[in-house]
């Protein structure tokens, strides 16, 4: 079986880090979220922008995975796996955004 460059890079990251794919989704989601929150640090909607960036990156990654899975895309397992990955990637950033929005969890400037 041949892999796309995207899949090869993902497998190499799994090999180098020794982390499970689920853990990598969580780390990548938090990394994108923290980077975006830093880039938008002076904007009043910084946390919403960071969450939007995280969701966007997660969706793009899953679309790329689905594209690479085109021969078996009709399998319910592929769709469940994509949903699982999206939840893993976006869950913690979504919780942090809700905490900030409801309770000013990170304080105000």
């Amino acid at each position: 079986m041949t892999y796309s460059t995207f899949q090869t890079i993902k497998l190499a990251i799994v090999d180098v880090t020794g982390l499970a794919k689920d853990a990598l989704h969580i780390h990548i989601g938090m990394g994108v979220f923290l980077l975006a929150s830093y880039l938008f640090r002076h904007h009043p909607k910084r946390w919403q922008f960071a969450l939007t960036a995280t969701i966007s990156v997660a969706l793009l990654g899953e679309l790329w995975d689905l594209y690479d899975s085109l021969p078996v895309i009709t399998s319910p397992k592929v769709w469940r796996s994509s949903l699982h990955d999206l939840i893993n990637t976006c869950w913690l950033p979504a919780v942090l955004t809700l905490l900030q929005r409801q309770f000013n969890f990170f304080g105000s400037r």
Side-chain angles (χ1 to χ4, degrees):
M1 178 177 194
T2 60
Y3 294 107
S4 70
T5 304
F6 180 65
Q7 298 301 328
T8 304
I9 291 170
K10 283 175 39 179
L11 292 172
I13 292 170
V14 168
D15 287 341
V16 169
T17 62
L19 293 172
K21 289 181 183 180
D22 286 345
L24 283 174
H25 277 276
I26 294 167
H27 283 74
I28 289 171
M30 282 304 299
V32 170
F33 181 74
L34 293 173
L35 177 64
S37 69
Y38 176 76
L39 293 174
F40 292 108
R41 66 187 174 275
H42 300 297
H43 197 283
K45 294 192 180 237
R46 128 191 215 185
W47 302 108
Q48 290 87 342
F49 285 164
L51 180 60
T52 302
T54 304
I55 292 169
S56 298
V57 168
L59 285 171
L60 286 172
E62 288 312 307
L63 285 174
W64 201 336
D65 277 346
L66 288 171
Y67 176 77
D68 287 343
S69 303
L70 277 177
V72 292
I73 202 166
T74 57
S75 167
K77 184 179 179 193
V78 172
W79 291 99
R80 279 193 303 271
S81 176
S82 286
L83 180 61
H84 178 83
D85 291 348
L86 285 170
I87 291 170
N88 270 342
T89 307
C90 300
W91 175 253
L92 194 52
V95 168
L96 293 174
T97 300
L98 288 172
L99 285 172
Q100 174 59 22
R101 185 174 178 149
Q102 294 299 315
F103 305 110
N104 198 20
F105 190 71
F106 301 107
S108 60
R109 296 186 168 232

